[in-house]
Amino acid sequence: MAVPITLEFSGGAELLFANQKKHSIELPGSQKWDVKSLLPWIRDNLLQERPELFMQGDTVRPGILVLVNDADWELMGELEYEIQPNDKIVFISTLHGG
Amino acid sequence: MAKRCRVCNGAAQIKRPKTGDIMCKECFYYAFEEEIHHTVLAGKLFTAGETVAIGASGGKDSTVLAHVMTVLNERHNYGLNLILLSVDEGITGYRDDSLETVKINQQEYGLPLKIVSYQELYGWTMDSIVQQIGLKNNCTYCGVFRRQALDRGAMLLKVDKIVTGHNADDIAETVIMNVLRGDIARLRRCTAVTTGTDGALPRCKPFKYTYEKDIVMYAFHKNLTYFSTECIYSPNAYRGFARAYIKDLERIQPSAIIDIIHSGESLCVKKDVRMPVQTTCSRCGYISSNELCKACVMLEGLNKGRPRLGIGKTHKERRLFNEELARQAAEAAATNCNETTTTTTTTTTFTNSKVCCGGKGACGSMGGSGQAPEMCGSNLQSKSESDCVGSVSPSGGGGVAECANSLKKVRIGVPTAKPNLLEF
């Protein structure tokens, strides 16, 4: 069954997503989702332009911070984190000027 | 998840990039602020009673800086009068929006705000500059103008110091850029926590050791309003490549950023390396390594319709201009030649070269100041002799052309002619 989650893009990352910061989505299928499988799904289904500015290899481009339920994804297992229903996952670009 | 804060054992949300420390939000806020306080103390950045302008762009760094400076000023009784100072570069769709963010910050922190614009200072907006020069090197203009604009705004406000939001990542980028460019003078200066103590308005970087990641996390968790659109003119900026490189390094080894800064700080320059002497611009009085500061050179280039004179490899543009002058001189010499002599020997060529330089030809009109023609004349004499004698062609017309060529070489070889650049 589908997994409903919230995605947020900010710090300039939203520019790759038609300037829309908040996305409520449902991850389809009955399989388990982790961040590793979520990233290409985002790239293929939500991303509007320049995928190379979002992903590099199988992970996010260096300089994009990821938070899972407001905690640094480095504390949550990064790519291996298994996504739970109603999770909030935030991507913040630090590559933009300050 | 079971990760706990190393300070209070609460639920952890933050992983510090510099130390790997795991923390909860509240402990992170405090540690973050106190680290900046430590930088302020260690660098003796402020004295009680000073008025300090915070360079505010509306971006994450300056927004967090304004916030943290307000917090620390109260918590540790710095006794500072803080003012927000913004520069309006005149970039439609970018700066006008970010300035709105600064205005929100102004209300949030209750600080006075002053905005100075390129339009009022220079008579040019970045929009109009880009219209003229295109999307290459435009960031060089913007950077040079902004630096000076901030100083001028600060002088208008009669402040004692400026603080900017340059963070550790920015400084590491700058170190790498200066290494790649071989810019020894800037390489030595760029890691200093305070610059401009010799006469100009001092500038400090309280975030010198603060990682960008921490700044972004702080802004995120504190819900600070900041502006984060890429400048519409910056995609070609050299800095972007250095930035991506630093981020790649950080992923492999987070301490790389602080290590690069440390390397920059520890570099020492051999005594016999010639450094530009810091002086003041003869036109506007701003601090400069040359007789005229970069901003005045660039502005002159813009106003005279030769914008490339002020950027990057200026010698190329100068060479083109010199060639133009040499051609004119050669033409003048050729006319001269026809009047006075009909021979086409080496001697004639040499004589001609004397006429075109020693007279009122290229050098005289080029060099506005009195010394340039002398310099050029003496140099030409020795250099053109060998050039012309060695390379002259026996054919009639060739002699004059060769001579013009040697003239060109000589002009390039005279570095003191640089200030004269602006005379056309």
Side-chain angles (χ1 to χ4, degrees):
Chain A
M1 58 168 259
V3 187
I5 58 168
T6 312
L7 299 174
E8 276 180 36
F9 302 94
S10 65
E14 70 275 18
L15 297 175
L16 304 176
F17 298 86
N19 230 351
Q20 188 185 335
K21 289 196 170 195
K22 211 167 171 173
H23 299 252
S24 296
I25 57 151
E26 292 204 341
L27 294 171
S30 55
Q31 78 273 36
K32 284 188 170 158
W33 286 87
D34 53 20
V35 177
K36 192 173 184 165
S37 53
L38 172 69
L39 293 177
W41 187 91
I42 292 174
R43 181 193 60 205
D44 298 337
N45 293 281
L46 293 178
L47 191 85
Q48 302 291 316
E49 53 182 304
R50 294 177 291 175
E52 71 280 4
L53 296 189
F54 180 65
M55 283 186 75
Q56 193 169 305
D58 63 352
T59 186
V60 289
R61 184 183 181 212
I64 295 182
L65 304 178
V66 186
L67 293 100
V68 175
N69 299 326
D70 284 352
D72 192 327
W73 76 326
E74 292 180 44
L75 304 176
M76 312 293 279
E78 301 192 34
L79 292 173
E80 271 70 57
Y81 172 76
E82 192 179 301
I83 290 168
Q84 307 297 317
N86 304 315
D87 272 352
K88 181 178 93 166
I89 301 179
V90 179
F91 298 86
I92 310 174
S93 173
T94 63
L95 292 160
H96 292 76
Chain B
M1 292 303 246
K3 297 267 168 59
R4 315 300 298 179
C5 171
R6 71 176 283 270
V7 180
C8 70
N9 209 32
Q13 284 179 285
I14 308 281
K15 186 171 180 206
R16 307 292 308 277
K18 199 164 28 176
T19 54
D21 282 348
I22 292 169
M23 293 182 151
C24 71
K25 273 198 295 195
E26 293 303 321
C27 292
F28 164 68
Y29 295 154
Y30 190 76
F32 177 89
E33 290 154 3
E34 289 305 301
E35 283 167 14
I36 293 153
H37 176 55
H38 180 260
T39 307
V40 167
L41 287 190
K44 298 192 178 68
L45 298 194
F46 311 117
T47 317
E50 283 180 331
T51 301
V52 176
I54 301 171
S57 66
K60 58 186 183 318
D61 300 308
S62 59
T63 299
V64 174
L65 182 67
H67 182 90
V68 172
M69 284 300 296
T70 312
V71 167
L72 293 179
N73 195 25
E74 266 175 44
R75 185 187 296 161
H76 295 289
N77 298 313
Y78 287 174
L80 303 177
N81 303 310
L82 299 174
I83 302 179
L84 294 172
L85 175 58
S86 294
V87 176
D88 182 359
E89 295 94 340
I91 305 175
T92 312
Y94 173 66
R95 188 53 88 211
D96 44 357
D97 292 348
S98 67
L99 285 175
E100 290 307 311
T101 316
V102 178
K103 287 173 191 162
I104 297 172
N105 289 340
Q106 176 202 5
Q107 286 162 3
E108 283 172 354
Y109 307 126
L111 300 174
L113 165 67
K114 165 82 184 164
I115 301 175
V116 289
S117 74
Y118 281 10
Q119 179 67 52
E120 62 183 291
L121 288 179
Y122 307 110
W124 289 80
T125 62
M126 273 315 287
D127 286 341
S128 58
I129 291 174
V130 169
Q131 225 167 39
Q132 172 135 358
I133 68 165
L135 283 175
K136 216 178 159 200
N137 292 315
N138 53 312
C139 293
T140 309
Y141 276 90
C142 196
V144 169
F145 284 168
R146 183 169 337 99
R147 188 183 164 81
Q148 204 177 91
L150 209 53
D151 275 349
R152 296 201 176 177
M155 281 177 209
L156 284 176
L157 292 170
K158 296 190 171 57
V159 303
D160 302 293
K161 269 169 196 154
I162 305 173
V163 288
T164 58
H166 291 103
N167 59 44
D169 298 48
D170 295 331
I171 294 169
E173 281 163 23
T174 308
V175 170
I176 293 290
M177 284 167 71
N178 286 334
V179 168
L180 295 179
R181 287 171 167 160
D183 193 334
I184 302 294
R186 285 208 180 81
L187 182 57
R188 207 172 55 163
R189 284 198 301 258
C190 72
T191 52
V193 70
T194 303
T195 53
T197 43
D198 46 353
L201 213 49
R203 286 174 169 243
C204 333
K205 303 169 192 154
F207 284 171
K208 182 186 169 187
Y209 297 111
T210 308
Y211 272 53
E212 190 158 58
K213 179 184 175 185
D214 277 341
I215 294 173
V216 172
M217 288 296 182
Y218 188 88
F220 174 81
H221 288 295
K222 284 240 172 191
N223 262 324
L224 302 182
T225 319
Y226 71 87
F227 182 82
S228 58
T229 300
E230 184 80 70
C231 172
I232 52 174
Y233 296 141
S234 78
N236 295 321
Y238 193 40
R239 182 170 288 275
F241 299 101
R243 174 168 282 245
Y245 173 67
I246 295 288
K247 297 293 181 212
D248 285 349
L249 286 182
E250 185 188 14
R251 169 153 299 174
I252 301 163
Q253 170 81 12
S255 69
I257 290 172
I258 219 78
D259 294 343
I260 290 172
I261 296 175
H262 181 66
S263 303
E265 288 171 334
S266 315
L267 278 176
C268 65
V269 180
K270 271 199 250 165
K271 276 213 182 80
D272 55 343
V273 173
R274 208 168 54 87
M275 297 291 245
V277 184
Q278 295 254 310
T279 169
T280 51
C281 173
S282 63
R283 188 164 298 174
C284 71
Y286 190 73
I287 192 156
S288 167
S289 310
N290 294 303
E291 194 190 329
L292 288 172
C293 71
K294 194 79 175 160
C296 281
V297 174
M298 290 180 143
L299 203 55
E300 190 84 23
L302 282 172
N303 290 337
K304 297 217 161 148
R306 291 192 90 100
R308 309 209 80 77
L309 274 175
I311 31 173
K313 293 178 177 149
T314 50
H315 61 265
K316 199 170 162 189
E317 181 72 17
R318 219 179 304 144
R319 199 191 66 214
L320 289 175
F321 185 72
N322 287 334
E323 276 173 8
E324 209 175 296
L325 283 177
R327 216 175 303 123
Q328 285 166 8
E331 277 162 21
T335 324
N336 215 357
C337 199
N338 290 337
E339 283 167 7
T340 56
T341 173
T342 47
T343 49
T344 54
T345 60
T346 310
T347 326
T348 313
T349 316
F350 182 48
T351 312
N352 272 342
S353 82
K354 263 186 180 163
V355 169
C356 58
C357 180
K360 295 147 217 123
C363 303
S365 66
M366 177 79 179
S369 69
Q371 58 164 15
E374 285 165 37
M375 288 288 306
C376 194
S378 62
N379 247 341
L380 183 75
Q381 210 139 26
S382 57
K383 200 164 187 274
S384 69
E385 207 157 4
S386 55
D387 266 350
C388 288
V389 171
S391 64
V392 72
S393 62
S395 69
V400 171
E402 286 297 333
C403 182
N405 232 350
S406 75
L407 174 70
K408 180 187 82 195
K409 279 179 195 155
V410 171
R411 289 294 314 174
I412 296 165
V414 183
T416 42
K418 201 173 177 185
N420 298 329
L421 236 171
L422 298 173
E423 292 301 324
F424 40 83

